[in-house]
Amino acid sequence: MVASCGQHDEAPGEGCLSHDERGPIVLLLSSPGEDGTMTPGQAAEVATLLLKLARHRFVRPKESAAAHALAAAAEQAAAAGEPWQWRIETLG
């Protein structure tokens, strides 16, 4: 996923976001679980951070696209005042 800003030994978002900003992103991307839920407020906060991460110049295009997609889903849930829910599926 959005591993980091090009450094493989860093935590998710490290170097792209400030120490205070990356906390929620690190939690989401390090341990997404099989499924999860965030409140609308949490989703709005994470969406903003995901967009910032996606737009960073050192984030590769594939990871940037994934961050944009996650941000859009989080924003949609937040705007509707609903929890943001996700699940991980394996295709193939």
Side-chain angles (χ1 to χ4, degrees):
M1 220 334 257
V2 184
S4 67
C5 290
Q7 304 301 318
H8 298 290
D9 58 345
E10 295 178 346
E14 192 169 335
C16 298
L17 301 172
S18 73
H19 177 71
D20 293 336
E21 291 176 320
R22 69 178 170 255
I25 299 298
V26 170
L27 289 175
L28 172 65
L29 300 179
S30 296
S31 301
E34 292 290 320
D35 56 7
T37 303
M38 287 188 178
T39 67
Q42 291 170 321
E45 178 184 4
V46 167
T48 299
L49 296 174
L50 283 166
L51 284 175
K52 184 174 182 180
L53 184 63
R55 293 177 180 143
H56 195 279
R57 65 187 176 133
F58 292 125
V59 174
R60 295 175 295 246
K62 182 178 177 182
E63 286 81 3
S64 177
H68 273 286
L70 287 170
E75 283 181 332
Q76 184 178 8
E82 297 176 353
W84 179 36
Q85 299 177 317
W86 66 88
R87 69 175 180 270
I88 298 174
E89 298 178 352
T90 303
L91 303 175

